[in-house]
């Protein structure tokens, strides 16, 4: 295992110390390890979302080249439905 020495700004140092003080973590190292793990996972999720978006763009481009286009009204209707579903899934209303 490689030993690393970190210097944090006082506000981050206070945050880490508070996490240990409240018992959420046993040590400063555990707080930092958890933070880096969360960052790593977040990067992976971002890459997955980016791949999904690029794939969707490729599909859309192929459909457009094949003349499979939606009218503006169809696009608007689909967007409104997705918005309604998104809000409903979160218990929100327009």
């Amino acid at each position: 295992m490689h030993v690393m020495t970190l210097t944090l700004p006082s506000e981050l140092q206070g945050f880490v110390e508070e996490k240990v003080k409240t018992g959420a973590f046993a040590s400063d190292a555990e707080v930092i390890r958890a933070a880096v793990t969360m960052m790593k996972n977040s990067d992976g999720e971002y890459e997955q979302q980016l791949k999904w978006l690029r794939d969707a763009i490729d599909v859309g481009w192929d459909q457009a080249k094949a003349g499979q286009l939606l009218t503006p009204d169809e696009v608007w209707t689909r967007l409104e439905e997705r918005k309604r579903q998104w809000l409903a899934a979160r218990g929100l209303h327009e």
Side-chain angles (χ1 to χ4, degrees):
M1 177 181 351
H2 178 77
V3 175
M4 183 182 292
T5 303
L6 299 172
T7 303
L8 297 174
S10 60
E11 81 175 44
L12 292 179
Q13 185 176 349
F15 178 80
V16 169
E17 291 169 353
E18 185 65 24
K19 290 294 183 183
V20 174
K21 180 180 173 184
T22 62
F25 293 88
S27 68
D28 296 353
E30 282 189 14
V31 177
I32 301 301
R33 192 170 20 259
V36 171
T37 299
M38 286 175 58
M39 187 176 181
K40 180 182 175 190
N41 292 342
S42 178
D43 284 353
E45 290 172 14
Y46 171 79
E47 290 301 323
Q48 289 176 347
Q49 290 175 354
L50 189 58
K51 182 186 179 324
W52 175 86
L53 183 57
R54 286 181 174 148
D55 291 346
I57 289 170
D58 289 342
V59 168
W61 182 247
D62 290 342
Q63 289 173 337
K65 288 190 293 187
Q68 300 169 337
L69 302 171
L70 299 174
T71 66
D73 287 340
E74 289 170 324
V75 171
W76 188 255
T77 299
R78 287 184 181 194
L79 287 173
E80 286 292 326
E81 177 59 21
R82 285 188 182 183
K83 177 182 174 185
R84 188 193 62 71
Q85 290 173 358
W86 186 88
L87 290 170
R90 287 156 182 79
L92 305 171
H93 306 282
E94 289 187 61

